[in-house]
Amino acid sequence: MSGRLYGLGLGPGDPELLTLKAHRLLRAVPVIAYPLAAGGTSFARTIAAPHLPGGQREIAIPLEMSTDRAPGQAAYDTAAHAIAAELEAGFDVAVLCEGDPFFYGSFLYLFSRLAARYETTIVPGISSVMAGAAAIRRPLSARHDAVTILPATLPDEALRARIEAADSVAILKLGRHFGRVKTLIASMGLTGQAVYAERVSLPGERILPLAETGDAAPYFALVLLYRGAEPAILGPLAPAEPGR
Amino acid sequence: MSGRLYGLGLGPGDPELLTLKAHRLLRAVPVIAYPLAAGGTSFARTIAAPHLPGGQREIAIPLEMSTDRAPGQAAYDTAAHAIAAELEAGFDVAVLCEGDPFFYGSFLYLFSRLAARYETTIVPGISSVMAGAAAIRRPLSARHDAVTILPATLPDEALRARIEAADSVAILKLGRHFGRVKTLIASMGLTGQAVYAERVSLPGERILPLAETGDAAPYFALVLLYRGAEPAILGPLAPAEPGR
């Protein structure tokens, strides 16, 4: 009897934004696996750390990031092999995922290698898009609004067309694309409707009108752009409130 | 010292898909408020029910739904007044929200009435979009994919243009619009890439290829449409797996 593979969504960063289900499974599985960035840090494991019971076996997946965090396929092959060995031996394995497992993120590359062979459960997580809107304190969408989520890695023309077709827009994966995205939003006359959010739900969270940001942003930062048709409902952009 | 207003995201339906934070606050506040549908049922309160400690005061907000669940503004005025009275008396009030508080949903109408006067905390919740992708067992987005979320209430031409501009699409609020949406997707030749999900994460959850559905759908059902550019990563549409 093989073990079960879990894709555990851990949410945007605050360890209290795990679901009860992810929390229960995180504590129950004998094996956890997680991506390890260059430098030896794992954001996913950091989110999980306060909840870990100790004594679990750990499979770190060193991500050899190239341009735009394109994954090193060999690292996923190796990790899938190590995870499969645990599953074959009857042990459940939880892959720790920042945000939601099926909403971008590296879990996809393990899922595609393992889900056909092993029973797999996906536990959804809070996306940075929802957590960002909560931190900014402005609703993402009401009634008939269309919401579009865009990776900043897309070329300018693709971003422009999709922004024009949406009411609310979240632009993720900013990193080295941030300056270009800022320029594009300015060229569309939308800077005044855009808010920048960094380290959402974590200590050091920063929420700023896009107009007040510099030109550098980390990979895990996002811009929310509000073009919605119902400003009377949504109200003005609310400033971040201390002491939340 | 006034009380604090909480918008508590409760997730898609499974009471275990609450966050630890929502669970803590749900049990701590002296007052809860929630929308009450015609017929006297409250989906949000049902999700919360297994966690309620008992003894909390409850403010039910009767939603007089008209076309497309357009809210009865008078009901929100009355509810905001009752909530404000508790806040003025120093009591914290948690408004229970299906899914995420800032992602569609009726909390917006209380937020717009109260957030300028009272300290407000938004606790993000698992959206039905992420829970739907987890239930369908197919990733929503990878790498450079654009994701668009559309209310089925939009007219055909608006839906068509936005579907054409996206890679993955979630269409929400189906209800009486379902037949029209199905016809539209068929006319675009995309039926084979579309999956229908109903009662996601709840007993009686139904996941079907769109081609195999009837013409009726409840309001809380969604269609996920996969037009992504990386089918080799995403794999074929996986059937729902029993015993998850």
Side-chain angles (χ1 to χ4, degrees), chain A:
Chain A
M1 184 77 181
S2 297
R4 179 174 285 270
L5 176 67
Y6 292 96
L8 280 198
L10 300 185
D14 178 352
E16 213 186 2
L17 290 178
L18 252 72
T19 63
L20 300 173
K21 185 171 185 176
H23 183 255
R24 170 175 61 81
L25 291 166
L26 184 62
R27 298 184 59 84
V29 295
V31 186
I32 59 174
Y34 45 82
L36 196 69
T41 60
S42 169
F43 184 33
R45 194 189 184 288
T46 302
I47 300 171
H51 304 299
L52 294 175
Q56 291 165 312
R57 287 190 295 287
E58 304 195 11
I59 298 172
I61 308 164
L63 296 185
E64 303 138 22
M65 291 302 175
S66 58
T67 323
D68 293 326
R69 291 170 61 104
Q73 296 297 328
Y76 289 117
D77 287 341
T78 304
H81 191 78
I83 290 169
E86 295 282 4
L87 295 170
E88 290 289 344
F91 297 110
D92 294 343
V93 179
V95 179
L96 312 186
C97 308
E98 305 133 358
D100 179 88
F102 272 0
F103 189 66
Y104 307 102
S106 57
F107 176 68
L108 307 182
Y109 303 99
L110 297 171
F111 180 78
S112 66
R113 286 166 169 79
L114 294 166
R117 284 187 286 151
Y118 302 100
E119 293 197 334
T120 303
T121 294
I122 308 301
V123 179
I126 303 284
S127 149
S128 62
V129 176
M130 279 71 182
I136 290 169
R137 294 166 39 72
R138 188 156 196 266
L140 193 64
S141 52
R143 302 195 65 201
H144 310 303
D145 287 340
V147 177
T148 292
I149 297 139
L150 299 169
T153 53
L154 289 171
D156 274 10
E157 280 319 300
L159 288 174
R160 180 189 297 271
R162 286 162 177 77
I163 290 169
E164 279 170 356
D167 298 306
S168 289
V169 180
I171 306 176
L172 312 182
K173 309 189 187 199
L174 292 174
R176 68 190 182 80
H177 301 281
F178 183 53
R180 180 172 61 84
V181 166
K182 256 185 92 162
T183 303
L184 174 69
I185 291 172
S187 77
M188 298 178 73
L190 296 172
T191 301
Q193 291 150 263
V195 184
Y196 170 85
E198 176 185 314
R199 290 187 61 80
V200 166
S201 84
L202 289 164
E205 177 182 280
R206 290 177 71 215
I207 310 289
L208 288 172
L210 185 62
E212 296 175 20
T213 58
D215 283 333
Y219 182 81
F220 282 116
L222 71 163
V223 166
L224 293 189
L225 190 52
Y226 294 94
R227 308 187 61 225
E230 305 199 49
I233 290 170
L234 298 182
L237 287 177
E241 177 186 320
R244 286 174 303 111

